[in-house]
């Protein structure tokens, strides 16, 4: 699956394309929202309105606040020598139920998702973009004058009647720093709606749900550093191995099992140390290629993890692959080994448990899959033992393709893919 490099790499010949340039001030986000609503209404894409407007609002706000020219950079002047105000340019393009969004500002620096406390009023903008976009990226201008941030919103298949997802799906981003050319403008034509998916097709579509730690990303070095900080900061002498054997459970559950009091303060120490050590985390070898092969084979991908979302999102961003849903602590339901997060992920995807497979590496993952009624595959490259009786075991990420009968051939990121 190739990264987004331009609107043209997703929408080769857009049915609609229009740009809008604004002065970079606090009125820009509102103007961008109004422009987006008007254009999507004209194009008959009201079903994509809410997600698109939210993404445009967040990207424009980010551009207005952080997208100014770097200090020391010479600002352009008009004929009278007056410094010209900085601008933000929004471009929208649409084709066959796909909307491409491009926001250009004057800073060459890429946008970086950052964490925010529960009481913070800001800091969640890019997390919302990750949550709502089917894919996004940032590309600098060739002359270093600024950058373009791109996002894609794709029409999703209808859910079962009566089912409503309880959490926004989340897709990681890929910061493919490449310059790109803009496609030529095309005259508007009437867009046609794709055929409606039949209920039986929704139910039988294959779904692959995966754990994060020990399956997608090797976070053991991060967790070891975080536990050392807990040991130092709280006078705890329990070795990391005792903490590790309970991985997959909610943090407070682990603290209770280890008979450690003051779980909230320990969690704060652990979280801060994890964020500081996060550069130590790396995707397991071969994981990205395997995810792309599943996506190309029309499997829907999701993540079910006990890691908080603000720490999970940057790790998932390393994979450069979209996930149709991510279930993390903090929402409704109980944590693993309860089946709740797996069942909620299936609700997000309008999928039946019979069509789902969960890949984990701990006994708690296996128990959650059993209770949810989904197939389970143990990741032998992870941190836990498969247990008895032995489940299906994948010796490597690539072995998942064999076990689930999926071709390893890649496919272009165009119609029919998961974007």
């Amino acid at each position: 699956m190739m990264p987004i490099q331009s609107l043209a790499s997703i929408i080769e010949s857009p049915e609609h394309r229009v740009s809008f340039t604004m002065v970079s001030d606090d009125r820009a986000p509102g103007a961008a929202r109004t422009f987006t609503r008007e254009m999507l209404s004209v194009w008959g894409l009201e079903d994509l309105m809410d997600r698109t407007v939210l993404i445009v609002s967040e990207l424009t706000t980010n551009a207005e606040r952080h997208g100014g020219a770097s200090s020391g950079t010479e600002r352009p002047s008009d004929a009278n020598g007056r410094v010209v105000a900085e601008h933000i340019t929004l471009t929208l393009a649409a084709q066959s139920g796909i909307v491409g969004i491009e926001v250009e500002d004057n800073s060459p620096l890429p946008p970086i998702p950052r964490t925010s406390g529960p009481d913070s009023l800001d800091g969640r903008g890019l997390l919302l973009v990750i949550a709502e976009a089917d894919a996004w990226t940032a590309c600098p201008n060739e002359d270093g004058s600024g950058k373009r941030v791109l996002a894609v919103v794709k029409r999703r298949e209808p859910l079962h009647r009566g089912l409503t997802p309880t959490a926004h799906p989340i897709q990681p981003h890929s910061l493919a720093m490449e310059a790109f050319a803009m496609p030529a403008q095309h005259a508007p034509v009437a867009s046609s709606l794709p055929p409606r998916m039949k209920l039986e097709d929704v139910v039988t579509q294959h779904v692959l749900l995966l754990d994060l730690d020990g399956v997608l990303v090797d976070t053991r070095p991060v967790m070891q550093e975080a536990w050392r900080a807990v040991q130092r900061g709280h006078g705890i002498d329990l070795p990391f191995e005792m903490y590790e054997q309970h991985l997959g459970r909610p943090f407070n559950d682990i603290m209770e099992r280890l008979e450690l009091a003051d779980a909230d303060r320990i969690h704060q120490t652990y979280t801060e140390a994890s964020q500081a050590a996060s550069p130590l985390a790396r995707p397991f070898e071969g994981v990205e290629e395997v995810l792309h092969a599943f996506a190309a084979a029309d499997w829907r991908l999701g993540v079910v993890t006990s890691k908080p979302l603000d720490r999970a999102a940057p790790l998932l961003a390393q994979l450069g692959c979209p996930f149709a849903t991510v279930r993390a602590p903090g929402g409704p339901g109980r944590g693993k080994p309860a089946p709740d997060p797996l069942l909620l992920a299936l609700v997000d995807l309008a999928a039946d448990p019979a069509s789902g497979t969960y890949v984990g590496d701990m006994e708690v993952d296996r128990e959650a899959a059993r209770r949810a009624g989904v197939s389970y595959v143990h990741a032998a490259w992870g941190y836990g033992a498969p247990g008895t009786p032995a489940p299906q075991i994948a010796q490597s990420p690539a072995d998942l393709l064999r076990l689930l009968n999926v071709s390893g051939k890649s496919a272009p990121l165009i119609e029919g893919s998961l974007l």
Side-chain angles (χ1 to χ4, degrees):
M1 187 179 299
M2 63 184 179
I4 304 174
Q5 299 177 359
S6 68
L7 288 179
S9 69
I10 302 299
I11 304 177
E12 292 183 325
S13 300
E15 297 165 343
H16 314 289
R17 184 177 181 276
V18 64
S19 295
F20 176 49
T21 299
M22 305 152 276
V23 174
S24 182
D25 59 23
D26 57 6
R27 294 172 294 181
R33 290 191 293 269
T34 299
F35 176 78
T36 302
R37 291 190 187 98
E38 292 176 351
M39 297 315 332
L40 265 62
S41 294
V42 170
W43 297 343
L45 295 172
E46 289 85 354
D47 58 322
L48 299 178
M49 181 84 73
D50 291 344
R51 293 168 60 205
T52 303
V53 170
L54 176 59
I55 293 169
V56 166
S57 181
E58 296 301 334
L59 292 182
T60 308
T61 299
N62 195 66
E64 184 265 319
R65 292 181 179 178
H66 310 293
S70 305
S71 59
T73 302
E74 184 176 353
R75 299 272 297 279
S77 302
D78 61 17
N80 298 319
R82 293 174 296 191
V83 174
V84 176
E86 293 184 304
H87 289 81
I88 300 169
T89 299
L90 167 65
T91 299
L92 301 172
Q95 177 189 14
S96 301
I98 301 174
V99 173
I101 304 161
E102 178 188 272
V103 176
E104 181 178 6
D105 60 41
N106 300 104
S107 172
L109 299 178
I112 302 295
R114 56 190 179 92
T115 58
S116 57
D119 298 324
S120 299
L121 297 179
D122 56 13
R124 298 182 176 86
L126 288 181
L127 291 179
L128 290 173
V129 173
I130 294 171
E132 294 294 354
D134 288 282
W136 74 281
T137 190
C139 307
N141 296 337
E142 287 184 337
D143 59 3
S145 61
K147 67 175 176 297
R148 295 179 175 95
V149 182
L150 297 113
V152 176
V153 177
K154 184 180 180 183
R155 178 174 285 132
R156 292 169 179 165
E157 300 298 345
L159 300 176
H160 296 271
R161 179 172 296 178
L163 293 181
T164 301
T166 55
H168 291 299
I170 296 177
Q171 293 78 20
H173 64 278
S174 172
L175 291 178
M177 290 302 176
E178 302 179 37
F180 56 91
M182 297 297 297
Q185 183 153 350
H186 293 257
V189 296
S191 60
S192 59
L193 294 176
R196 185 176 296 274
M197 179 177 282
K198 297 179 181 178
L199 180 61
E200 57 268 26
D201 294 333
V202 177
V203 172
T204 58
Q205 184 172 24
H206 293 302
V207 171
L208 185 66
L209 303 174
L210 306 106
D211 187 26
L212 175 58
D213 299 286
V215 174
L216 295 174
V217 181
D218 184 7
T219 55
R220 178 183 270 130
V222 178
M223 293 186 289
Q224 288 174 325
E225 286 296 319
W227 191 250
R228 291 189 190 103
V230 167
Q231 291 172 319
R232 293 191 301 267
H234 300 272
I236 295 172
D237 58 3
L238 292 176
F240 172 74
E241 288 71 23
M242 292 189 66
Y243 172 81
E244 185 180 31
Q245 68 181 339
H246 300 294
L247 290 179
R249 297 180 180 272
F251 191 88
N252 285 359
D253 186 4
I254 298 177
M255 295 299 98
E256 183 177 343
R257 289 172 177 271
L258 296 178
E259 299 182 349
L260 295 176
D262 207 0
D264 290 342
R265 289 184 63 244
I266 294 176
H267 198 188
Q268 181 178 356
T269 299
Y270 189 94
T271 297
E272 292 173 352
S274 294
Q275 292 169 342
S278 61
L280 298 176
R282 292 288 185 274
F284 285 103
E285 183 176 358
V287 159
E288 296 172 74
E289 293 80 3
V290 168
L291 292 175
H292 293 164
F294 274 102
D298 205 27
W299 282 59
R300 302 202 73 186
L301 306 179
V303 172
V304 176
T305 177
S306 295
K307 186 179 292 297
L309 181 57
D310 60 349
R311 285 165 38 210
L315 297 175
L316 294 173
Q318 296 185 31
L319 298 174
C321 181
F323 295 96
T325 183
V326 173
R327 280 286 170 175
R334 303 160 294 173
K336 295 182 292 186
D340 304 21
L342 287 171
L343 293 174
L344 289 168
L346 292 170
V347 169
D348 292 342
L349 304 179
D352 191 272
S355 66
T357 299
Y358 185 47
V359 182
D361 68 319
M362 304 296 293
E363 180 59 33
V364 68
D365 299 322
R366 180 179 181 179
E367 176 66 11
R370 183 190 68 80
R371 293 168 64 180
V374 303
S375 301
Y376 178 72
V377 176
H378 181 80
W381 61 92
Y383 306 144
T388 55
Q392 287 195 96
I393 300 176
Q395 298 298 329
S396 67
D399 200 24
L400 290 170
L401 301 174
R402 177 187 63 82
L403 287 175
L404 300 177
N405 195 29
V406 174
S407 170
K409 296 179 180 180
S410 60
L413 188 62
I414 309 292
E415 281 297 318
S417 78
L418 286 179
L419 282 182

